[in-house]
Amino acid sequence: MATNKHIIHGIFGDEVPMMEACKKLRASGIRVKEAYTPMPIHGLDPLIGVPRTRLAICAFIYGLTGIGLATLMMWYMMISDWPNDIGGKPNWAYYFNIPAFIPITFEATVFCAAHGMALTYLLRCMLVPGARPKNPDPRTTDDKFMLLLDLNDVQAEKAKTILKENGAEEVNLINTYVVEPKYILEETH
């Protein structure tokens, strides 16, 4: 049996009632799909159920890549291809000169981690040139706060009530669409 899904926007004038509405929506089993705010709000991500970011794991991998590339470059340039006298120490092997290579290794690690994280973030958020903006209401870039909900019939009525009880200035039904049963997933939170 096909299910009706409703896209609802709850517009708030302040972040405190919006966060209270998020708590009550989650407590009643309603998933907040997205929150749009004019500024970062500390503590909003756990309220709407955003999972912890894995960007730190990416940074670690990019840092290891920087260490590896820097080590390979220094070994090839300073030991293998054109052996140099580094600080009056012998250069027969890479490990004799490790203290002299630490600054370059550090800089390469930071360079690769920072650039890799920035590129990963931009690609993950699709903030690339020519990308269409995802913000459905431009007022959220100025002074409004918005919750985006994508709900079935029963949840939509409950969500509208919760949003209005918690001080939403506007509760707008944006769109209703029909979802075939094979595309419906059970939400587990």
Side-chain angles (χ1 to χ4, degrees):
M1 184 173 125
T3 303
N4 289 331
K5 298 286 272 185
H6 306 279
I7 297 175
I8 297 172
H9 290 176
I11 308 287
F12 295 84
D14 192 25
E15 73 266 20
V16 175
M18 182 192 71
M19 292 179 76
E20 287 299 318
C22 288
K23 288 179 189 172
K24 290 183 179 170
L25 287 169
R26 290 288 306 266
S28 62
I30 295 174
R31 178 177 172 261
V32 177
K33 187 169 185 180
E34 189 65 74
Y36 295 92
T37 63
M39 62 201 172
I41 298 174
H42 182 72
L44 182 60
D45 289 350
L47 281 181
I48 63 173
V50 174
R52 188 178 165 96
T53 181
R54 291 175 288 198
L55 201 56
I57 296 169
C58 293
F60 182 73
I61 293 169
Y62 296 139
L64 287 179
T65 304
I67 289 172
L69 290 175
T71 302
L72 181 66
M73 177 189 74
M74 290 181 295
W75 169 81
Y76 180 74
M77 290 179 174
M78 304 298 284
I79 306 296
S80 175
D81 186 44
W82 191 285
N84 287 316
D85 183 12
I86 301 169
K89 297 177 182 172
N91 58 359
W92 304 311
Y94 182 83
Y95 60 89
F96 287 143
N97 303 306
I98 284 179
F101 296 148
I102 286 175
I104 297 170
T105 305
F106 174 76
E107 293 295 333
T109 303
V110 171
F111 177 85
C112 287
H115 285 82
M117 281 194 322
L119 290 173
T120 302
Y121 172 77
L122 293 173
L123 291 174
R124 184 76 176 109
C125 295
M126 287 306 294
L127 292 173
V128 294
R132 297 179 60 192
K134 296 178 182 176
N135 190 347
D137 192 333
R139 295 180 295 171
T140 59
T141 61
D142 188 20
D143 63 345
K144 298 296 181 192
F145 301 82
M146 187 181 86
L147 295 178
L148 174 64
L149 307 171
D150 189 1
L151 308 169
N152 62 28
D153 294 330
V154 176
Q155 291 176 327
E157 292 304 318
K158 193 186 311 181
K160 285 179 188 176
T161 305
I162 291 171
L163 290 173
K164 287 177 184 170
E165 286 176 354
N166 285 284
E169 294 177 354
E170 298 174 29
V171 179
N172 302 324
L173 176 63
I174 301 301
N175 190 9
T176 300
Y177 60 97
V178 177
V179 179
E180 296 299 323
K182 62 183 178 182
Y183 297 113
I184 295 175
L185 297 174
E186 292 296 323
E187 296 181 11
T188 59
H189 60 135

